[in-house]
Amino acid sequence: MAKEKTLEDLFYDTLKDIYYAERQILKALPKMARAAQSEELKAGFLEHRDQTEGQIERLQQVFEIIGRRAQGKTCEAIQGIIAEGEEIMEDFKGTSALDAGLISSAQAVEHYEIARYGTLKTWAQTLGYKEAATLLDQTLQEEGATDQKLTKLAGTAANAKAAA
Ligand code: FE
Ligand code: FE
Ligand code: FE
């Protein structure tokens, strides 16, 4: 009989999922910065790109804490979210609605991350990985702050312009 899988295994699988996702996000953010029309949005994407590097390092620390190899596992959800963003970039290139579209894609990314990190933090606590829970919470806070900044940007420049 196959060995029963545990929450520990699920935690590891989900870490691999977000590790893959973060690396895809790291590649996508400079493209989004290049596409953005507003300087504030461009700067925001580049700032979050730098934060993402730190988030990847935190994940590597978590892998180390649990004594497992840092490796990614294809996340079809993030692939789909990023593909939708690319579609918006194509379809709304040169239009006044482009930035609003980029913000909406970026928020879909952040919401996926918030869901994952919230879960991972809870599981780390359940499994007794206190230090890992702290690291995961730090990233959760950053993703939340990024989401809020995007909401603000959506309410101002981008959407006002799109409505014009
Ligand atoms: Fe992230
Ligand atoms: Fe996933
Ligand atoms: Fe993020």
Side-chain angles (χ1 to χ4, degrees):
M1 199 178 91
K3 191 173 163 270
E4 198 194 320
K5 288 198 178 186
T6 63
L7 182 64
E8 181 94 33
D9 297 316
L10 187 58
F11 181 65
Y12 181 48
D13 275 359
T14 308
L15 272 178
K16 290 195 281 191
D17 176 270
I18 195 68
Y19 190 58
Y20 174 92
E22 288 286 16
R23 289 188 300 176
Q24 297 303 306
I25 294 163
L26 187 68
K27 282 193 266 177
L29 281 166
K31 291 183 203 164
M32 293 171 80
R34 248 176 279 134
Q37 290 164 341
S38 120
E39 286 307 315
E40 215 183 336
L41 186 56
K42 262 185 204 299
F45 284 147
L46 290 177
E47 190 194 330
H48 197 51
R49 196 219 78 97
D50 292 347
Q51 268 182 341
T52 300
E53 278 190 335
Q55 295 174 351
I56 289 171
E57 279 168 29
R58 275 191 205 117
L59 287 172
Q60 289 163 346
Q61 284 176 258
V62 174
F63 282 116
E64 225 180 281
I65 289 167
I66 66 167
R68 304 247 206 151
R69 194 160 77 89
Q71 60 172 29
K73 183 184 171 207
T74 305
C75 169
E76 284 176 21
I78 205 70
Q79 284 181 340
I81 291 169
I82 290 173
E84 274 190 8
E86 281 166 357
E87 202 180 322
I88 288 174
M89 277 188 237
E90 283 270 319
D91 294 354
F92 288 85
K93 203 174 182 173
T95 73
S96 58
L98 178 65
D99 279 5
L102 288 171
I103 291 170
S104 76
S105 308
Q107 285 196 287
V109 170
E110 295 314 311
H111 291 189
Y112 182 71
E113 293 182 292
I114 289 166
R116 281 286 170 264
Y117 281 108
T119 294
L120 282 165
K121 177 194 158 179
T122 301
W123 288 345
Q125 285 167 339
T126 305
L127 293 165
Y129 295 122
K130 262 185 129 179
E131 203 193 329
T134 303
L135 289 163
L136 293 163
D137 183 62
Q138 283 168 357
T139 298
L140 179 62
Q141 300 305 318
E142 281 177 3
E143 310 295 22
T146 302
D147 181 46
Q148 282 176 18
K149 270 188 215 165
L150 288 164
T151 296
K152 262 194 201 151
L153 282 171
T156 56
N159 287 353
K161 215 176 146 198

